[in-house]
Amino acid sequence: MCDPVTMAALAVASGVAEYQQGVAKAQSDQARFDRNRLAANDARDLKVQTLNQRATQEAEAASEEKLALGIKALEGEGAAKVATGEAGVSGSTIDLLLQDYTAQKLRGVTTINRNLENVEKQIELEKRGASAEALNRTNSLQQGVMPNFLAAAVGTAADATAAYQSTKVSQPDDYDPTFE
């Protein structure tokens, strides 16, 4: 049989070791959570950068299309004015023809602007989706939870007291733990 004090000391050592394991697990879980959060945020940032680049490219392409429409309208108007001048024709028909070139240009610009707005809205939704995805990925792991020191101390004290009492009760009053 073991000495009651030795059993109580073993119960305390066991409780301390269990608490330290809980602390180590909490720290490990928190480190894993932090690495996952950083990786999720990096992935989100990369997606957002890619989407921003796409938005810039779409805006530049739309600007080039508008410029091309403007040039085409000016060329058409110029050719019409030259032709009417050479033919010596004037009047409301010619004015309507010139206005048609302007109207075509404006319709084209309106269509380009609408398409660009739709692409920008889609890109914004994709950015929000990337943020939600990063948040879901971050929340997929639990943060490290430190063990409650007071609960561990009370539990260890209770275990030590129980070990002391059970060892003491099972020994006769005249028990001598030494061998003489």
Side-chain angles (χ1 to χ4, degrees):
M1 263 290 135
C2 289
D3 178 35
V5 174
T6 303
M7 292 305 291
L10 289 174
V12 168
S14 174
V16 169
E18 187 177 313
Y19 177 77
Q20 288 174 337
Q21 286 176 341
V23 168
K25 182 181 181 328
Q27 290 171 340
S28 172
D29 288 349
Q30 185 64 40
R32 192 176 77 186
F33 175 85
D34 290 340
R35 284 190 307 273
N36 182 57
R37 180 178 47 82
L38 289 173
N41 289 342
D42 286 346
R44 178 206 58 218
D45 292 347
L46 184 60
K47 284 181 182 179
V48 168
Q49 287 173 359
T50 302
L51 291 170
N52 286 339
Q53 180 65 32
R54 181 174 155 216
T56 301
Q57 291 169 347
E58 293 285 346
E60 288 173 356
S63 179
E64 289 175 13
E65 285 182 52
K66 289 179 198 178
L67 182 62
L69 281 174
I71 291 171
K72 184 177 177 184
L74 288 174
E75 287 174 346
E77 286 175 17
K81 285 180 183 178
V82 168
T84 58
E86 289 176 351
V89 180
S90 65
S92 63
T93 305
I94 301 304
D95 291 339
L96 287 175
L97 177 65
L98 295 175
Q99 288 174 0
D100 187 51
Y101 283 112
T102 303
Q104 287 177 12
K105 174 187 142 191
L106 292 176
R107 281 192 297 272
V109 168
T110 300
T111 301
I112 291 168
N113 287 340
R114 188 177 336 108
N115 290 343
L116 182 60
E117 286 176 15
N118 289 337
V119 167
E120 288 171 346
K121 286 177 186 176
Q122 178 187 357
I123 288 172
E124 279 305 311
L125 289 174
E126 288 179 33
K127 286 180 186 179
R128 289 174 55 190
S131 293
E133 189 177 302
L135 183 61
N136 286 340
R137 183 173 166 188
T138 298
N139 291 337
S140 69
L141 293 179
Q142 185 177 4
Q143 288 189 356
V145 179
M146 294 295 278
N148 186 322
F149 179 76
L150 182 60
V154 169
T156 299
D159 290 346
T161 301
Y164 180 83
Q165 292 299 326
S166 68
T167 307
K168 187 175 181 184
V169 168
S170 63
Q171 296 175 355
D173 289 335
D174 60 345
Y175 175 72
D176 184 13
T178 60
F179 298 103
E180 294 180 0

